[in-house]
Amino acid sequence: MKKLILLVFIILANNAFSQTDFSNQDTIPSPWKKSIETGANINQSSFSPNWKGGGVNSIAMGLLLDGRLLYESSKISFDNVLQLQYGMVKNDNAIYRKTTDKIFFDSKLGYRITEKWNAFVSVTFLSQFAQGFKVVKDSLDRESQQLISRFMAPGYLTSSLGMEYKPVDYFWLRFGVGSFRNTFVTDTTLYRSVPQNYGVPIGKKVRNELAFALTANFDKDIAKNLHLYTRYVMFANYENLKAIDSRLDLTLSAKVNRYINVNLTATALYDQDQDYEIQYTQMLSLGLLYRFSEFDPKK
């Protein structure tokens, strides 16, 4: 199946570039559009030893980089999205803890069949940069760290083939009837602290699954200086349709001025290979943000 997806990808890509006329670039708008968003936020607080109001010295920081590159002609679309996020916090003498850590890349090649329907092939990658720890305390209330994740432990590489419904530019649905996911756990000792080992058999480094994948994406300015991005992914293994994985990512950005933004990010995850309960994370931040985009935010 991987070879089939790769072959279709190459054929469609070749067709996309063959349709581009570079001889009239001065008069014909470029079929390529791009955007980039990069930012940083930092929060710090400190107190004198005799500060009667109480408090804990702390410092927190976060970095992000989001990018998108799109090629679009009358029949062919080639859409690429990259999201990199990392944040951490330290309270007084406590151990540094991550607040966010994400590596996400999605590349989709589509062929328009009708005005609202496309055939597509896609490749998606998801992992994290740094080691992740669970903080545990001993009988003397001393903190220590227990390793529960790291780069490519877990890591997810998903190849998908199916149909896409795109009624408007800011919203689309992908129906990946043939989706092949590789789950990687390159640290073969991780099961000692994560018994389920993210679904990968103990002693192995990868698990392969054939499934149906549903992806919904919404990316639009919902008010003046207020932008909403949300992405939902459902993954249903054909061998076990009772254990359906679901992940919802949401980012709400409010623009204060040209370089200052307030961001609310949240993720909800249900995956029985990790936990039988819903996992969630949320972060609110104020920081510097630079954004350049050739996309019309109203479409």
Side-chain angles (χ1 to χ4, degrees), residues 11-76:
I11 292 173
L12 292 179
N14 182 66
N15 189 14
F17 289 109
S18 66
Q19 292 185 23
T20 306
D21 183 4
F22 294 98
S23 61
N24 296 313
Q25 287 188 354
D26 293 336
T27 58
I28 300 177
S30 171
W32 291 94
K33 292 181 181 180
K34 57 184 177 293
S35 69
I36 187 169
E37 186 175 281
T38 181
N41 61 76
I42 185 167
N43 299 286
Q44 183 270 338
S45 63
S46 60
F47 304 86
S48 66
N50 63 337
W51 181 255
K52 299 302 187 290
V56 176
N57 297 341
S58 67
I59 184 168
M61 63 167 293
L63 301 170
L64 70 88
L65 173 66
D66 290 351
R68 184 184 179 193
L69 180 64
L70 170 68
Y71 171 91
E72 199 167 35
S73 67
S74 60
K75 286 291 186 181
I76 300 296

Side-chain angles (χ1 to χ4, degrees), residues 72-232:
E72 199 167 35
S73 67
S74 60
K75 286 291 186 181
I76 300 296
S77 63
F78 184 41
D79 201 358
N80 303 273
V81 175
L82 175 67
Q83 297 177 346
L84 307 175
Q85 299 175 6
Y86 187 78
M88 60 192 304
V89 62
K90 187 177 189 303
N91 293 323
D92 206 5
N93 295 321
I95 300 169
Y96 276 103
R97 303 181 184 182
K98 291 194 298 183
T99 54
T100 183
D101 189 359
K102 180 181 180 182
I103 303 173
F104 174 80
F105 175 71
D106 179 73
S107 182
K108 183 215 69 177
L109 190 62
Y111 184 83
R112 180 171 295 175
I113 298 175
T114 68
E115 183 180 354
K116 297 180 180 180
W117 286 93
N118 303 313
F120 80 91
V121 291
S122 67
V123 176
T124 304
F125 174 76
L126 177 66
S127 189
Q128 62 188 36
F129 287 101
Q131 294 178 335
F133 297 91
K134 178 172 66 175
V135 178
V136 295
K137 293 184 178 181
D138 61 17
S139 58
L140 299 177
D141 205 34
R142 294 175 299 190
E143 290 186 346
S144 63
Q145 298 186 114
Q146 186 178 61
L147 181 68
I148 57 174
S149 62
R150 64 195 322 161
F151 176 69
M152 293 301 287
Y156 302 95
L157 180 65
T158 306
S159 305
S160 193
L161 173 68
M163 297 294 295
E164 177 188 61
Y165 175 65
K166 189 177 182 181
V168 289
D169 287 345
Y170 57 84
F171 173 76
W172 50 255
L173 281 170
R174 290 186 202 165
F175 303 90
V177 293
S179 298
F180 188 81
R181 183 170 73 176
N182 305 107
T183 302
F184 298 91
V185 177
T186 54
D187 186 340
T188 56
T189 66
L190 208 60
Y191 72 91
R192 297 171 185 171
S193 52
V194 185
Q196 291 166 289
N197 205 39
Y198 300 99
V200 177
I202 294 175
K204 303 290 186 180
K205 293 185 177 182
V206 63
R207 176 191 181 190
N208 303 318
E209 298 175 87
L210 181 63
F212 169 78
L214 171 68
T215 306
N217 197 90
F218 182 93
D219 190 358
K220 187 179 187 291
D221 282 356
I222 57 175
K224 185 178 179 181
N225 296 329
L226 188 63
H227 187 86
L228 175 64
Y229 168 81
T230 182
R231 181 185 182 95
Y232 170 76

